[in-house]
Structures are given as structure tokens and as C-alpha cells.
Amino acid sequence: MKRRLKPSRFFSLLLSSPIAIALSGWGSLALAGDPFQRIPEKPIGDATEEAFDAMFKDGDYRKADRLIDAALREDGDEPLAYALRAGLAYNQGEWQVMLTHGKKTKEAAERLMARDPMRGNLYKGVGLMLEGAYDVLQNKNYLGAVPKLQAIFQAFDAAKAADANDPELNLAKGYMELLLAVNLPFSSPDTAIENFQRTAKPDYLVDRGLALAYRDLGRFQQALDHVERARSQTADNPEITYLKAQILHELGKIDGNHQPNLVREAIKLFDDALGEIEQFPNPEVNKRQLEREKDIAKRWLEEKGY
């Protein structure tokens, strides 16, 4: 069943998903690559690329934290570096740091507009998103979030007008559309899923997003298929291990088709993720959450006599 999405939940979900910070930059270092597989490439700086990979491929936020510091020094005009720092601050509850770097993201986006209007508008939307999150999460200014939401969508629309086929844009837009389709009534998740799957890159973040969407829609077998694809490309990422554990836990408890072996496998994966808890964005908080979900799975097995 879909839930009504409050402004606070909207910003929290956006910022806890990869897309709030998984946005490529524009750099000039020869050894850098383009994680969005564009032709021609739009390469990012070495430090920024390494931070991106550490966060989203490896799921190692401690390493990413160090690399973001280097990216801020080396790629001072790179909006992604500021957005990455803001995203980490969000995960750690450092609201003022999040706001400061959200504003810097938007300022860097404005400087980018003349040479790359698509990415300039895209980052403008991300900066506005971070500012809106601060208004809601820290100031409880829910009414102030409404015009901010409108401005975010306007920025994304302007980015689409500049280059509707860009895979980076479609990753960002796709995550937002999935989020709204899953949480808002009278929306069409299947349309959002089809568009996202067809137009966005890189594949491992697309599969991660689809796994999250299918999980929240209660379509657990499809969620499992996509989390397995994401794991095949990001095998060492403990967040993907955790996501698979959540999906197996729910899949194993389906009424009329209990599969206790899947719940046992989920418990093992919760333990595997807990073994890498220091890589998570907020280890103390994340540890409590994982332990709570693991205990729920264990109690279910005991209560059902398995």
C-alpha cells in the first residue's frame, strides 16, 4: 500500500538514496573517467572519481570521506565534491555542514551553466534539494519546503530541455520519479521503472534503485533479481549485502509461502554487513538498525517454530 509522502520523508528518502550525491562532475585530469558512460566522455577529477567509487561501488564511507577532502582541494569548481560532502553530513546528522555544502553545490552549478547547461541545472536542483532538506529536518519548516520542491523540479526540467538523453540526468530524474511513484497514490511505478531502466547509467546504481523500488512495492522476487545484479558489480559493498538481507527477510515471510531458509540466509547476511559496519555512513546508528532487523528475523523464526 502506498503511503502519503510528507515533505520531511521526501527529502530524507532523496538524500538517503544514491542520487542525492551520485552526480558526476566536470574535470580536466587525463586519467579520470566518466562513470555515466557518455560518448563523448565528461571526465571527472581523479580524487572525485575515487571518492565516487569508494562510496557507491565499495560502500566504504570512511575511505570516501578522506577522498572527498582531496577532491575539495583538487577540484575546487567541481559540484560533485560539494554534494558528496553534503551527503555525508546528512548521513551523520551534521545539518549545518550539509547546508553549507548544499549552497556551495548550487554556487558551483551556477558557474557551470554557460559551458554545460544540462549539468548546471541538474546540480542547481541538487543544491536546492540540500537546502530544502535543511529547512525541513533542522528548522521543521514544512511550508517553506513547498516552493523549494517546485524549484527542484523546474531545475530538473531545465536540465532535460538541455539534453534529455543524458544518462546522468536520467539517473537523477529516475530516482526521483521512482521515489514519488512508490510513495504517492495514483502514480505509476511501472512507467517510472521502465523509463529508469531504459535511460539511466551506470547499471549498478540502476539495479540498486530498482531493487529499492521493488522492495518498497512489496515485489520481493523482482527486488531480489535486481539486488543480485547490483551485487555482481559491487560485490564488496556492505550496503548491497544489507539490502539483499532485507529483501530475503521479507520474501521468506510471505503469507502462505513461508520460506524459513531465506530468512536464515537473511540473518547471515545481516551478520556479514555488521562485520563491515565501520564502512557504513554512520556506524553507530547503522549498527543499531541492522541489529534490530536481524533480531526481528530471528524472532519470526522462533515464533513460527522454525
Side-chain angles (χ1 to χ4, degrees):
M1 177 181 293
K2 292 181 183 178
R3 302 174 296 277
R4 185 182 178 193
L5 193 64
K6 297 178 180 178
S8 58
R9 181 63 173 155
F10 176 87
F11 284 110
S12 295
L13 285 170
L14 277 182
L15 285 169
S16 61
S17 73
I19 200 52
I21 46 182
L23 300 174
S24 169
W26 176 268
S28 59
L29 297 182
L31 297 179
D34 183 349
F36 300 96
Q37 303 164 16
R38 283 175 282 226
I39 300 174
E41 289 188 346
K42 292 184 178 182
I44 65 176
D46 285 347
T48 303
E49 185 183 15
E50 288 179 24
F52 183 98
D53 287 345
M55 186 175 292
F56 298 113
K57 282 189 176 179
D58 302 335
D60 190 340
Y61 286 80
R62 294 181 70 183
K63 181 180 178 182
D65 196 5
R66 297 191 300 271
L67 291 169
I68 290 166
D69 288 340
L72 289 170
R73 292 192 302 271
E74 296 175 17
D75 306 326
D77 248 4
E78 171 54 72
L80 174 58
Y82 298 116
L84 286 172
R85 174 58 66 212
L88 283 176
Y90 164 79
N91 281 309
Q92 295 161 0
E94 297 175 348
W95 309 124
Q96 191 60 49
V97 175
M98 181 187 74
L99 176 63
T100 297
H101 286 83
K103 290 181 180 298
K104 289 182 178 181
T105 300
K106 194 171 68 171
E107 291 166 2
E110 294 290 350
R111 294 192 294 271
L112 189 61
M113 286 287 186
R115 55 192 168 105
D116 194 336
M118 188 286 293
R119 296 193 67 256
N121 280 293
L122 183 55
Y123 275 110
K124 179 181 178 180
V126 172
L128 289 166
M129 191 186 304
L130 291 159
E131 291 177 355
Y134 181 86
D135 288 340
V136 169
L137 299 172
Q138 180 68 4
N139 293 335
K140 309 302 180 186
N141 182 12
Y142 300 105
L143 290 177
V146 175
K148 197 79 74 175
L149 286 175
Q150 294 171 339
I152 290 168
F153 287 115
Q154 287 170 356
F156 274 74
D157 286 343
K160 181 180 178 181
D163 187 354
N165 296 317
D166 186 88
E168 177 184 10
L169 168 64
N170 286 308
L171 185 71
K173 188 165 69 71
Y175 262 95
M176 291 183 68
E177 289 173 351
L178 281 178
L179 175 71
L180 296 174
V182 167
N183 286 275
L184 292 179
F186 313 116
S187 54
S188 176
D190 288 327
T191 298
I193 286 168
E194 193 277 330
N195 290 336
F196 182 57
Q197 196 165 14
R198 178 172 50 83
T199 60
K201 293 285 183 181
D203 289 340
Y204 72 90
L205 281 177
V206 173
D207 282 311
R208 181 174 178 171
L210 292 171
L212 288 164
Y214 282 126
R215 179 201 65 185
D216 291 350
L217 289 167
R219 293 156 63 172
F220 299 117
Q221 185 57 57
Q222 289 166 293
L224 182 61
D225 292 342
H226 284 284
V227 81
E228 290 284 26
R229 293 179 194 173
R231 281 192 100 202
S232 72
Q233 301 171 75
T234 57
D236 297 327
N237 189 326
E239 286 190 311
I240 303 302
T241 300
Y242 173 33
L243 178 56
K244 182 178 178 181
Q246 290 181 316
I247 292 165
L248 286 175
H249 180 199
E250 296 299 331
L251 188 60
K253 297 193 305 181
I254 291 175
D255 289 343
N257 187 29
H258 288 172
Q259 300 180 71
N261 286 342
L262 295 185
V263 180
R264 294 188 186 100
E265 185 180 352
I267 291 169
K268 180 183 180 303
L269 291 174
F270 282 130
D271 279 330
D272 290 345
L274 283 164
E276 304 290 342
I277 198 65
E278 290 304 318
Q279 290 186 201
F280 276 74
N282 193 334
E284 185 176 340
V285 172
N286 298 140
K287 181 181 180 181
R288 290 198 298 269
Q289 179 64 27
L290 265 73
E291 288 177 338
R292 184 159 50 246
E293 293 184 45
K294 174 187 167 184
D295 288 343
I296 291 171
K298 291 175 68 175
R299 284 200 303 272
W300 183 86
L301 288 173
E302 293 169 0
E303 290 169 0
K304 298 299 180 182
Y306 295 122

